[in-house]
Amino acid sequence: MREAEIWRLLAANLLCALSIVLAAVVPAFFLDGFSVLGTHLTWLCVCSVCVATLNIILHLVLKPNQSPKRRSFAHKISRFLKCCIYFFMSCILFHAIIVLYGAPLIESVTETFLFAVLLSTFTTLQCLCLLGPNIQAWIRVFSKNGAMSIWESSLQITSLCSILGAWFGAFPIPLDWDRPWQFEQLFVAI
Amino acid sequence: MQRWPVVLFLAWVCFLFFAGIGLFMSGFLLTRIELASSSSCSDPLVPPPWERQSLPPGSCWAPQRFSKAVLVIIDALHFEFARFDPAKASPLPYENKLGVLHQLATSQPRHARLYRFRADPPTATMQRIKGLTTGSLPTFIDTDGRRVVFMGDDTWEGLFPKKFFRSYFFPSFNVKDLHTVDDGILQHLYPTVDSGEWDVLIAHFLGVDHCGHKHGPDHPEMAKKLTQMNEMLRSLVDHLGNDTLLLVAGDHGMTETGDHGGDSEKEVSAALFVYSRTPLFGSGPPEEPETIPQVNLVPTVALLLGVPIPYSNIGEVMAELFAGDGDAVSAALQQLSVYHINAKQVDRFLQSYSLVAQDLPAEQLQHLQELFSSAVEEHTQLLAQVQGTTVPPELEPRLGSLISRFQRYLREARAVCTQSWARFHPLRMVGGCILIASSCLLCYMASELAASSQSFCRSCLLYPLLWGPVGAALLWLVHVFTQEGLDLLLVSSWAAAASQLGFFWHWWGQHLKRARLTGSQPPLASGGLRQRLRAWLGLAFPMGILFFRCGAMFSDSFVVAEARVAPFLLASLVMLLVGKLHWDGRLTVPEGPKQQLLGLSSYRREIWYLLCLVAMFLVCVRLSSFFHQCREEIPQCRPSVFLSPLASLRNTRAKNLFYLLCVALLAGLVYAVQNWLRHYGNLNSSDPLVLFVRWGFPLVVLCIACYWAVASSADDSLGKLQELVQVAVVVFPRAVYGLASVGLLLLLCNPVTVFAKDTRESAGSIVTPYLGVPGSEVDFLHVIPQIYKRMQESQRSRLERGSCRATVAAYGLGSVYSAALVIALTLLAFLLMLLHSERLSFAFLLLFVEAFVLLHIHTCARGLAGDAELFSVPWYAVISWLLAASQFFYSTGHQPIFPAIHWNAAFVGFHLDHSTNLLPAVLVGANTFASHILFAVGCPLLLLWPFVCEMSNSQKKKPKKESQEELQEVEEHMMEMRLRESPEEFSTALLQLGLKYLFVLGAQLLACVCAAMILRRHLMVWKVFAPKFLFESLGFVVSSICLLLGISLVMRVDCAVSAWFSQLRLR
């Protein structure tokens, strides 16, 4: 049982990493003049959409937290809406934090916002998939000794690492490479 | 521990750091005194009269050979680039590209010659230009009346502003750009040459150097660039006339990686090529090109052009260029005369230099003097025997030997100078570095020790203080025996090193003793280890941030972008703090076992408070970035509009609006401070200090407002009011200075802002020093006068009830230390705001708000974490405090570069006449290090604030109170009196705080020093690292002195409070 869980987890994470790589490579065949650095805006879009869909599909397929009770359709809808609102709020929150950290306020708003969306897909969306719109559970997972299952600890590590990755991603900005938005989410693959 | 040892110990640590900084600086920046004198034609070192009569017109000191000269400087033209070896079958990209030089040199051996041109380190372009053009020091070849046309590198503009007849400057900064400068020069070069409107033409090409930096020498781009230079030279030669001298020179070489700046063989060997259409040389070129030092170019060119040699030149003329067309004897005579002039000039320089500076060794000067006078004597003897230009044949060998004697004199003189002027002194640099590093270590160890052992300070202070003078005395003895001059700096650094050794020795001894003591007991290995590991992990976060900060000093890009790095790290540190609190579960309240099982836990109420504080803090950090100054390295940066004074605003409405806003801010600051003091009950007594806070502060604000009004409208045509304005501009700032110093004096004289209400009856009172109010009424908190009434009533009722205990109510005793600090900080802030431009008062307000919020976050986090050690300030607090200090260094419109210094601060309150240099230096320094000063003085607040806030957290009374009966209550409301209760621990805590502060400061300084030392060959060292090091070390000095002042102020308050208590007891 446990080993199977680990394998499934590994597969999910590998798929995630693969989707990021694919998001960087595949659109070059469809779109003209696409490159990760040249048209980073599109890349950010494509990447977040890819990861989001993959996460949702994985969630539906693997069902890591089987809820024992069957719920009504209306309940599901409200749950979904709640998830959407949470996701949007987290985007806004991330955006605010990035701006407070020194991103320009008016210029390159789209970059900032898309980056915030990307960060939220890596962190909030996974939380939503796993834990649902349940803040209490989130708080539990993100504190010491809080993670109960292997899925949750994986979630913990992934989200913290993506935030750390974003933080480290800010380091090369002052180096004169002339590429402003070099946030590479390599840490997510861990 | 007493008070004095604490201050002494900190002062000693500061001294250690200062000695380290001084030692490093003396090795890094060797000072050389520049003489302002310049040579002129009428100087008395003219050649003997028989030759003077034959001087052609336009000549000076020596006959003019050329009326025009073209100096082509190809940046980083390595000697290997210019050498041409036709035998080479497959040349590297940089070889055999300058064919035109070889062609000229072989076809016209008497017209052209290639030299190996030896640059003196450091091989940075700016220093080389100085050496090339002045023969040592930055006074240009005296080209009175000559038309100098310049084109190329804009470094020249800064070195010789407005010296050129015409100039075409191109930006040199962007190393990636290979072509802008060169193409710009090529566009103007030939038209200018053809127009003939010039006497000296200088063209400085940068492409080769930039190509080296970008691609390295071994790259096809370099081949292209050199080929372009070859073409340029070929066509330039065709444009030259007969009366023109062409010089092609590289200012330095380059390493295999294309860099330069150091002193390796490849960097210092450049190429020099000389050409003229008329024959220059008496004989053909030697087999291997001669090596000549760079400084030799100046005297040679000066005499060839018939202008005086610059006063401070130490170069030697290149004699073979003065051979002329005649026979060997006349050539020798010619050379002798130029050598004579050259030697006389160098002798004059050495004499006047040794008058003002002592860095040239006396006995060597003596030796040089002897060489010179004997050579001159022989020269006059020889000339007496020479009639006209015919030389008796027996004198010919004497001619040769005389020339070589002059040569010897000149070379030895130059050797003496370069030896004592060598740029770096590695031994001293390493010594300074080690001294600073070990001082840092000492700070860390002492701060750990101070917490653990009580009697540590006296013993650990006494021995080092004894050792220090012993070390100094030893050095002095050695010097007495060796008869060498004594350097104060060396002595103090020896003393510092010796006392440090003493400290470590003593510490080691104690450590061994303790180890022996504990060794007998069974060790608690596992538990102790785990605890230690946890402590290390706790340290890892703030230390990691500090590590990043120090690491950032080693990259020029990060130093350039430091204005954004510091706030980034600061925000990260605070976020990390909150995250860690959450991670440790400190923010949640576990609610029973069942819910805990489910993972349901609710946050404490304080979390919202904390989150609000953090959000406010982040907003402050973000807002502070609107006040940044720009560096030239970031071309797209625009300096903040707030930096310019209001007087420069055109729009009157905007000006008025901003003015009103600034004044409102000032008033708001005063109001906030007064409110804070009133809140804690420090504004009740009728002491002079409190009266000053009440009435003096608004007066100061009024004065500042008036000054700003006058200063910002000074340009307007006020007609007859002009004189009044002139007076007002001086009077108001002086009034502020006066008021602020009065305030500070009052603060020093009587810093106790406590209002005591004595209701004891005179007879039979038991001595109960202070007794507060019975604590039931919570509603009258804010209005102190009401408290009095009620309190009196309640006390009276108590007395009537039969409780015969007498009381003394002391208001503001609980925050007496912080109140003094806050008053001092406000006064300092007024002074500093006056020195800045008006609109930077926004930044100062932000500074206060941010510091306030930071203190509250610190307090709050501390309360949540439930720290046991109340008396030690955690590392994260100290580091964030210092990060905020450096953040506001940038946010008050400063940058660590010299052009960004606000020089006009020196003239606030003074007209353009300073009798001494001290006062403007203090004013400009205070302006530059404003945030360092404020944060360092306010540093003890980190210790005091949790005590001050203790009461507001527990939502109880404002006035501090205590009674013999209500011990419970006493525990609750002691506030800062807790510190007084245990004076030993208080002193230790202050010492520890000071040491931690110095450690963090010292770590930053150490990083800067190491960066400057390791990267001293870096391209950017004089633009980025050296200024950064200078600013950082000055900031360190200012901060540490202010820290000492702040801590002594707290000590002073402590003394005064003790005196107050004893007075109360006596009554």
Side-chain angles (χ1 to χ4, degrees):
Chain A
M1 175 65 192
R2 201 173 156 71
E3 278 212 349
E5 287 266 298
I6 289 177
W7 280 115
R8 279 165 68 186
L9 179 69
L10 189 65
N13 275 334
L14 279 180
L15 271 176
C16 255
L18 194 69
S19 78
I20 295 170
V21 174
L22 282 182
V25 176
V26 171
F29 301 113
F30 302 114
L31 298 171
D32 266 353
F34 177 90
S35 74
V36 172
L37 301 172
T39 55
H40 50 271
L41 279 184
T42 7
W43 178 69
L44 280 175
C45 274
V46 171
C47 190
S48 47
V49 167
C50 266
V51 175
T53 44
L54 187 82
N55 264 324
I56 292 167
I57 292 167
L58 277 177
H59 167 64
L60 291 178
V61 172
L62 292 173
K63 284 205 174 50
N65 56 340
Q66 292 92 349
S67 49
K69 294 164 266 181
R70 293 201 63 81
R71 272 144 179 182
S72 67
F73 186 69
H75 186 84
K76 271 186 180 166
I77 288 291
S78 82
R79 214 175 131 88
F80 180 73
L81 279 179
K82 237 182 179 176
C83 281
C84 287
I85 290 168
Y86 274 35
F87 183 73
F88 190 66
M89 268 166 62
S90 86
C91 287
I92 302 272
L93 191 69
F94 272 120
H95 186 92
I97 287 175
I98 295 167
V99 167
L100 283 178
Y101 257 79
L105 190 62
I106 298 162
E107 310 114 62
S108 59
V109 181
T110 33
E111 275 101 330
T112 315
F113 188 73
L114 279 178
F115 178 64
V117 170
L118 188 68
L119 256 184
S120 336
T121 42
F122 282 125
T123 54
T124 322
L125 192 70
Q126 288 195 345
C127 290
L128 285 173
C129 288
L130 268 174
L131 308 170
N134 178 358
I135 295 279
Q136 294 290 344
W138 291 24
I139 290 167
R140 172 176 61 76
V141 168
F142 287 105
S143 51
K144 205 197 225 166
N145 311 326
M148 300 242 175
S149 71
I150 186 165
W151 287 98
E152 283 176 359
S153 55
S154 137
L155 173 72
Q156 208 178 31
I157 292 167
T158 321
S159 323
L160 288 186
C161 281
S162 44
I163 287 174
L164 258 186
W167 190 71
F168 278 108
F171 274 62
I173 294 177
L175 298 177
D176 38 13
W177 293 353
D178 301 322
R179 295 175 208 144
W181 288 96
Q182 277 214 339
F183 296 96
E184 297 291 335
Q185 298 298 307
L186 297 177
F187 286 88
V188 183
I190 295 169
Chain B
M1 198 186 296
Q2 270 97 44
R3 298 182 194 107
W4 278 113
V6 170
V7 178
L8 256 182
F9 192 85
L10 285 177
W12 173 65
V13 174
C14 288
F15 162 74
L16 294 183
F17 275 111
F18 294 167
I21 294 172
L23 195 63
F24 182 83
M25 221 181 248
S26 73
F28 186 62
L29 313 163
L30 293 178
T31 50
R32 186 197 292 180
I33 294 163
E34 298 187 355
L35 299 180
S37 339
S38 59
S39 305
S40 81
C41 255
S42 53
D43 281 343
L45 35 141
V46 286
W50 61 268
E51 207 176 4
R52 185 154 174 75
Q53 279 149 14
S54 66
L55 278 184
S59 305
C60 185
W61 291 18
Q64 183 186 37
R65 288 285 311 276
F66 295 95
S67 61
K68 294 180 166 194
V70 177
L71 173 60
V72 176
I73 296 175
I74 299 177
D75 212 288
L77 183 69
H78 193 288
F79 178 71
E80 295 299 323
F81 297 177
R83 189 211 275 281
F84 192 91
D85 187 2
K88 208 155 241 176
S90 55
L92 292 171
Y94 60 85
E95 282 174 334
N96 287 0
K97 288 297 175 299
L98 295 180
V100 60
L101 302 185
H102 176 73
Q103 194 188 327
L104 288 171
T106 44
S107 63
Q108 301 166 294
R110 288 191 62 204
H111 295 244
R113 190 170 291 182
L114 179 68
Y115 292 96
R116 202 183 271 275
F117 205 32
R118 217 183 151 72
D120 299 317
T123 47
T125 297
M126 192 176 356
Q127 273 71 26
R128 287 308 94 231
I129 294 175
K130 281 187 186 178
L132 270 175
T133 51
T134 63
S136 95
L137 297 161
T139 44
F140 202 41
I141 294 184
D142 215 0
T143 49
D144 285 332
R146 311 265 167 159
R147 295 164 296 177
V148 183
V149 176
F150 179 82
M151 42 189 76
D153 184 355
D154 61 359
T155 314
W156 290 69
E157 193 179 9
L159 281 175
F160 309 109
K162 300 193 182 121
K163 284 266 185 174
F164 299 113
F165 175 68
R166 199 180 309 140
S167 51
Y168 307 94
F169 294 116
F170 302 99
S172 63
F173 184 69
N174 190 357
V175 179
K176 304 280 162 61
D177 178 5
L178 303 187
H179 301 297
T180 308
V181 177
D182 293 4
D183 293 347
I185 298 173
L186 288 177
Q187 202 183 336
H188 296 289
L189 183 61
Y190 305 120
T192 311
V193 171
D194 292 337
S195 75
E197 287 183 342
W198 52 278
D199 293 312
V200 177
L201 193 150
I202 303 171
H204 190 152
F205 290 89
L206 278 179
V208 175
D209 182 47
H210 284 184
C211 183
H213 284 302
K214 194 177 175 190
H215 303 291
D218 208 356
H219 193 275
E221 275 300 321
M222 186 60 96
K224 275 191 216 162
K225 205 71 223 177
L226 287 173
T227 315
Q228 183 194 14
M229 290 294 115
N230 192 38
E231 292 309 311
M232 179 271 295
L233 288 174
R234 192 185 298 282
S235 45
L236 181 62
V237 166
D238 294 338
H239 282 78
L240 293 181
N242 280 338
D243 57 347
T244 308
L245 177 70
L246 171 68
L247 298 152
V248 180
D251 56 347
H252 50 74
M254 61 169 72
T255 60
E256 276 116 355
T257 53
D259 296 319
H260 57 85
D263 51 3
S264 73
E265 184 56 39
K266 292 215 159 207
E267 284 160 282
V268 297
S269 69
L272 171 70
F273 181 77
V274 184
Y275 172 77
S276 91
R277 295 209 151 204
T278 50
L280 263 173
F281 301 96
S283 57
E287 193 65 17
E288 180 65 17
E290 235 182 305
T291 301
I292 58 158
Q294 235 173 25
V295 286
N296 290 7
L297 186 69
V298 170
T300 314
V301 173
L303 290 184
L304 282 175
L305 288 178
V307 297
I309 303 177
Y311 194 91
S312 317
N313 162 64
I314 52 165
E316 168 198 340
V317 288
M318 293 150 68
E320 63 270 27
L321 280 150
F322 293 88
D325 310 321
D327 55 355
V329 177
S330 72
L333 266 183
Q334 279 271 2
Q335 291 175 351
L336 190 59
S337 81
V338 292
Y339 268 127
H340 181 231
I341 296 168
N342 191 193
K344 274 199 153 177
Q345 171 265 324
V346 169
D347 178 61
R348 179 179 67 170
F349 166 67
L350 284 182
Q351 277 184 2
S352 39
Y353 185 81
S354 59
L355 282 183
V356 290
Q358 271 75 46
D359 51 358
L360 297 179
E363 66 266 30
Q364 292 190 357
L365 276 178
Q366 182 69 31
H367 170 68
L368 285 175
Q369 184 64 41
E370 281 163 16
L371 266 181
F372 174 72
S373 44
S374 71
V376 169
E377 204 171 308
E378 199 181 331
H379 184 235
T380 32
Q381 276 178 15
L382 196 77
L383 281 190
Q385 294 171 13
V386 174
Q387 286 89 35
T389 49
T390 54
V391 180
E394 72 274 10
L395 287 183
E396 274 174 37
R398 276 181 69 190
L399 268 181
S401 79
L402 188 55
I403 286 181
S404 61
R405 282 172 78 171
F406 273 124
Q407 253 176 1
R408 190 168 147 226
Y409 167 71
L410 287 169
R411 281 180 194 168
E412 284 190 17
R414 196 166 55 79
V416 167
C417 290
T418 43
Q419 200 179 12
S420 56
W421 290 342
R423 198 72 190 187
F424 297 122
H425 199 311
L427 197 67
R428 285 188 169 205
M429 283 162 74
V430 172
C433 222
I434 290 174
L435 209 53
I436 293 173
S438 57
S439 308
C440 274
L441 185 69
L442 187 143
C443 273
Y444 182 77
M445 272 169 37
S447 72
E448 295 288 301
L449 269 182
S452 60
S453 70
Q454 291 293 330
S455 63
F456 129 90
C457 193
R458 198 169 302 132
S459 57
C460 276
L461 177 66
L462 195 66
Y463 285 97
L465 283 189
L466 279 179
W467 275 90
V470 168
L474 268 178
L475 186 78
W476 182 70
L477 274 179
V478 168
H479 271 280
V480 165
F481 282 121
T482 53
Q483 305 277 316
E484 273 180 42
L486 208 56
D487 190 358
L488 182 70
L489 197 74
L490 267 183
V491 172
S492 58
S493 50
W494 268 104
S499 59
Q500 237 174 18
L501 272 182
F503 174 85
F504 283 118
W505 177 259
H506 190 75
W507 171 81
W508 183 243
Q510 277 204 337
H511 182 76
L512 281 184
K513 212 184 286 172
R514 209 173 308 136
R516 222 172 297 138
L517 276 180
T518 50
S520 55
Q521 292 159 2
L524 298 159
S526 62
L529 196 71
R530 186 168 297 169
Q531 226 166 27
R532 197 175 289 177
L533 205 71
R534 190 169 298 164
W536 274 106
L537 272 181
L539 266 184
F541 281 119
M543 287 299 173
I545 296 278
L546 182 64
F547 175 76
F548 278 127
R549 165 130 180 82
C550 291
M553 307 275 189
F554 284 86
S555 155
D556 58 332
S557 314
F558 277 106
V559 174
V560 167
E562 209 198 337
R564 286 160 66 208
V565 173
F568 178 80
L569 288 179
L570 182 59
S572 308
L573 185 60
V574 171
M575 294 288 263
L576 259 180
L577 172 68
V578 177
K580 191 166 174 300
L581 280 177
H582 169 81
W583 185 254
D584 290 344
R586 303 279 190 194
L587 299 184
T588 50
V589 182
E591 294 179 353
K594 189 183 167 194
Q595 278 164 319
Q596 214 167 17
L597 201 73
L598 286 173
L600 282 178
S601 49
S602 68
Y603 276 110
R604 292 193 196 183
R605 232 180 337 165
E606 288 96 329
I607 181 68
W608 293 113
Y609 177 61
L610 183 63
L611 279 184
C612 282
L613 282 180
V614 170
M616 235 167 100
F617 180 77
L618 288 180
V619 170
C620 278
V621 171
R622 184 74 180 94
L623 282 182
S624 72
S625 70
F626 287 118
F627 301 94
H628 284 171
Q629 173 77 278
C630 283
R631 294 178 69 119
E632 58 175 324
E633 282 88 348
I634 308 173
Q636 70 271 20
C637 163
R638 292 273 159 275
S640 160
V641 288
F642 295 101
L643 293 175
S644 55
L646 274 185
S648 67
L649 267 188
R650 291 260 167 268
N651 187 346
T652 342
R653 274 186 64 191
K655 191 191 265 188
N656 288 341
L657 190 70
F658 271 121
Y659 174 73
L660 285 180
L661 260 178
C662 290
V663 174
L665 276 181
L666 265 185
L669 182 64
V670 170
Y671 178 74
V673 167
Q674 284 191 349
N675 220 12
W676 187 86
L677 289 174
R678 188 174 296 129
H679 177 79
Y680 285 103
N682 290 97
L683 213 55
N684 296 318
S685 77
S686 53
D687 282 342
L689 178 63
V690 176
L691 288 182
F692 184 82
V693 172
R694 286 189 161 189
W695 305 112
F697 275 18
L699 200 62
V700 173
V701 170
L702 191 70
C703 281
I704 296 180
C706 288
Y707 170 67
W708 282 351
V710 173
S712 60
S713 63
D715 295 344
D716 294 347
S717 53
L718 285 168
K720 47 195 164 177
L721 283 178
Q722 201 64 40
E723 282 178 21
L724 206 64
V725 166
Q726 291 291 320
V727 174
V729 162
V730 174
V731 166
F732 283 121
R734 288 193 180 180
V736 176
Y737 295 149
L739 279 173
S741 41
V742 166
L744 288 175
L745 273 181
L746 283 177
L747 188 65
L748 272 185
C749 288
N750 185 14
V752 181
T753 50
V754 174
F755 177 60
K757 190 88 183 165
D758 197 346
T759 56
R760 285 176 296 182
E761 286 154 42
S762 52
S765 65
I766 310 156
V767 182
T768 51
Y770 26 94
L771 180 67
V773 216
S776 58
E777 308 91 347
V778 193
D779 48 323
F780 58 61
L781 288 181
H782 288 276
V783 195
I784 297 297
Q786 283 187 357
I787 299 182
Y788 296 160
K789 278 182 202 159
R790 295 244 194 145
M791 196 185 60
Q792 278 169 332
E793 283 165 15
S794 64
Q795 274 163 0
R796 214 166 287 140
S797 66
R798 270 187 124 201
L799 285 171
E800 281 162 9
R801 257 188 281 131
S803 151
C804 59
R805 197 149 278 111
T807 61
V808 174
Y811 293 93
L813 193 55
S815 57
V816 59
Y817 299 109
S818 327
L821 274 177
V822 167
I823 292 171
L825 283 177
T826 320
L827 279 173
L828 283 176
F830 283 142
L831 284 181
L832 296 173
M833 271 192 223
L834 188 70
L835 294 179
H836 281 83
S837 86
E838 294 89 345
R839 281 179 287 176
L840 278 180
S841 49
F842 290 102
F844 277 92
L845 189 77
L846 263 184
L847 184 149
F848 268 86
V849 172
E850 191 180 307
F852 187 75
V853 172
L854 194 61
L855 282 172
H856 270 289
I857 291 177
H858 163 54
T859 310
C860 194
R862 183 156 214 191
L864 288 171
D867 262 343
E869 296 174 39
L870 260 179
F871 283 95
S872 81
V873 180
W875 281 103
Y876 72 81
V878 179
I879 292 174
S880 58
W881 196 250
L882 267 165
L883 276 175
S886 49
Q887 176 211 344
F888 273 102
F889 170 74
Y890 294 103
S891 293
T892 45
H894 297 289
Q895 284 283 352
I897 40 171
F898 295 108
I901 295 178
H902 301 181
W903 295 110
N904 47 3
F907 304 109
V908 175
F910 299 91
H911 269 307
L912 304 169
D913 49 343
H914 279 296
S915 46
T916 59
N917 279 332
L918 187 67
L919 195 62
V922 168
L923 290 177
V924 172
N927 172 294
T928 306
F929 298 109
S931 83
H932 288 86
I933 293 173
L934 286 178
F935 276 95
V937 170
C939 175
L941 283 179
L942 282 175
L943 175 66
L944 301 174
W945 208 261
F947 293 104
V948 175
C949 293
E950 196 176 69
M951 177 197 50
S952 61
N953 282 349
S954 52
Q955 301 274 315
K956 289 274 170 66
K957 295 260 126 39
K958 299 308 157 199
K960 179 244 146 241
K961 50 198 184 146
E962 219 172 286
S963 95
Q964 287 188 331
E965 288 177 336
E966 298 166 303
L967 272 178
Q968 196 68 32
E969 199 112 339
V970 170
E971 282 300 303
E972 288 278 313
H973 307 300
M974 296 253 307
M975 289 170 68
E976 284 179 356
M977 283 306 108
R978 238 184 248 283
L979 294 166
R980 246 203 69 78
E981 288 290 291
S982 46
E984 286 280 309
E985 282 180 52
F986 183 32
S987 305
T988 317
L990 273 181
L991 175 68
Q992 206 183 0
L993 175 66
L995 284 173
K996 281 183 175 175
Y997 198 81
L998 283 178
F999 169 76
V1000 179
L1001 262 181
Q1004 291 176 17
L1005 179 73
L1006 182 67
C1008 273
V1009 166
C1010 286
M1013 188 173 76
I1014 294 168
L1015 302 171
R1016 65 180 184 275
R1017 293 149 153 257
H1018 192 276
L1019 169 69
M1020 288 292 170
V1021 72
W1022 299 111
K1023 273 204 146 146
V1024 175
F1025 293 112
K1028 173 74 189 156
F1029 156 69
L1030 277 180
F1031 273 84
E1032 192 73 31
S1033 51
L1034 276 178
F1036 180 87
V1037 172
V1038 171
S1039 297
S1040 54
I1041 290 174
C1042 287
L1043 176 75
L1044 275 182
L1045 290 181
I1047 287 182
S1048 1
L1049 179 64
V1050 175
M1051 297 283 186
R1052 170 80 191 96
V1053 179
D1054 199 32
C1055 286
V1057 171
S1058 304
W1060 185 81
F1061 272 121
S1062 58
Q1063 214 178 15
L1064 210 61
R1065 257 193 208 102
L1066 282 179
R1067 256 196 274 164

